[in-house]
Each structure stands twice: as C-alpha cells, then as structure tokens.
C-alpha cells in the first residue's frame, strides 16, 4: 500500500508538532512514550543479559536510547537501529537484519507489525512472533505477552546460561 495524500499530510503535521514539542517541552514529548506492559516483564532480562538484545525501530535511535535510560536500561548505541537505518534499508526490518546484524545464531524477533513479521520469518535462523501491543489491532493477535516473554526467557537461557 502506498501512502495517500491524506497520509502524507498527516505525517507532515505530525512531524511539525513533534519537532515543536521536542524543541519547546521535551519532557512532555518523552512522557507521552510510556512503555507497554510487556516491558516490566522483559526488563529484568534486559538488565541481566543486555548484550543479547537489539532494537530495530521506526523511532530515532538516540530517542530510543534516551527512553530506555529513563526506565533504567542502558544499551550501547550499537544495539539500536532507528529510523535512519530503517529508512536506508527500504523500511524493511528484514533488510536491517541482513545489512547490519547478521543472523548466524538463532534470533527471536518480536514486532507489532504483520508486515515486519512476514518479512523476517522468511530469514534463516529467525523465529518471529507477532506481539499484540502497539500497532496491532486486538483482532490481529491474541494476548500473547506471556508467551512472548517465555520465548525470550528460553532463548536467553540458551545464550546467557541463566
């Protein structure tokens, strides 16, 4: 699907409002980004074995790092691929994997976009799980938060030897 003129007009307005809010009241903008409920479940694992987590997002990498730090999680910048990388890779998270991560070892990929799940699950060594938070409508994915967290724990157990 290609964005319509209405979509593009919304994007321009949204980007203007975001830029103005960040410039004039950054704390208000930051406070609009509250973590999804799964974050409290996954945070202990992120703290225990941070080197095994990577983030690919449509948000800016620096902003993601700032949000993580606000919530007590420190990631190295090399663990986060944000909007710039995402856009350079044709807005494909699978392409971000291929160009930046390499997937020689098994990867567990969790995302709230059917498009990104379908692209990445076709990659070798990637197990993809559609999360039911964020952009996913309730009818698209069952409440699989606990299932996803258990999969992360099992995956990390193999990698970090908990």
């Amino acid at each position: 699907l290609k964005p319509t003129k209405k979509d593009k007009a919304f994007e321009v307005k949204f980007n203007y409002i975001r830029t103005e809010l960040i410039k004039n009241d950054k704390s208000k903008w930051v406070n609009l980004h509250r973590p999804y409920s799964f974050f409290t479940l996954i945070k202990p694992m992120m703290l225990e074995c941070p080197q095994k987590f990577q983030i690919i997002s449509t948000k800016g990498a620096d902003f993601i790092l700032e949000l993580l730090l606000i919530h007590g999680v420190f990631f190295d910048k090399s663990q986060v691929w944000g909007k710039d990388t995402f856009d350079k890779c044709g807005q494909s998270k699978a392409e971000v994997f291929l160009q930046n991560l390499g997937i020689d070892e098994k990867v567990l990929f969790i995302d709230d976009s059917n498009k990104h799940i379908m692209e990445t699950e076709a990659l070798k060594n990637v197990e993809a799980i559609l999360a039911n938070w964020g952009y996913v409508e309730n009818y698209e994915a069952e409440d699989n938060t606990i299932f996803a967290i258990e999969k992360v724990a099992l995956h990390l157990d193999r990698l970090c030897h908990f």
Side-chain angles (χ1 to χ4, degrees):
L1 287 173
K2 293 234 179 222
T4 65
K5 283 184 179 183
K6 188 176 176 181
D7 295 332
K8 290 178 183 181
F10 173 81
E11 181 181 17
V12 168
K13 289 177 187 174
F14 177 83
N15 288 333
Y16 172 78
I17 291 168
R18 176 182 56 201
T19 300
E20 288 299 306
L21 195 52
I22 290 170
K23 185 168 62 176
N24 297 313
D25 191 354
K26 188 168 185 182
S27 65
K28 188 172 188 175
W29 177 251
V30 169
N31 287 330
L32 291 172
H33 295 81
R34 300 205 171 135
Y36 294 111
S37 59
F38 80 94
F39 182 77
T40 56
L41 299 171
I42 204 168
K43 182 179 173 181
M45 293 179 245
M46 295 172 94
L47 294 172
E48 183 75 25
C49 197
Q51 73 279 10
K52 291 299 179 181
F53 284 87
Q54 309 290 324
I55 296 175
I56 303 171
S57 180
T58 57
K59 292 185 186 334
D62 290 337
F63 187 63
I64 294 165
L65 291 165
E66 183 177 352
L67 289 174
L68 286 170
L69 201 52
I70 286 168
H71 295 288
V73 176
F74 175 79
F75 272 23
D76 186 80
K77 192 169 185 155
S78 66
Q79 293 173 260
V80 179
W81 286 269
K83 182 169 177 37
D84 288 346
T85 305
F86 180 69
D87 288 346
K88 286 178 191 170
C89 291
Q91 297 190 332
S92 165
K93 290 186 179 180
E95 198 59 36
V96 173
F97 268 108
L98 294 171
Q99 290 186 24
N100 298 281
L101 290 167
I103 43 178
D104 296 328
E105 62 183 52
K106 192 163 176 64
V107 173
L108 180 63
F109 177 74
I110 303 172
D111 201 274
D112 60 354
S113 164
N114 272 317
K115 175 186 176 250
H116 299 307
I117 292 295
M118 289 189 301
E119 288 176 350
T120 56
E121 69 185 356
L123 299 175
K124 179 183 168 198
N125 290 332
V126 175
E127 180 181 355
I129 298 174
L130 179 65
N132 69 329
W133 53 74
Y135 294 111
V136 173
E137 298 290 334
N138 289 338
Y139 62 85
E140 290 182 272
E142 62 189 64
D143 185 356
N144 62 355
T145 302
I146 300 301
F147 171 76
I149 297 301
E150 288 173 349
K151 287 293 253 183
V152 170
L154 287 170
H155 186 75
L156 289 176
D157 189 42
R158 287 192 299 269
L159 298 174
C160 299
H161 311 291
F162 284 128

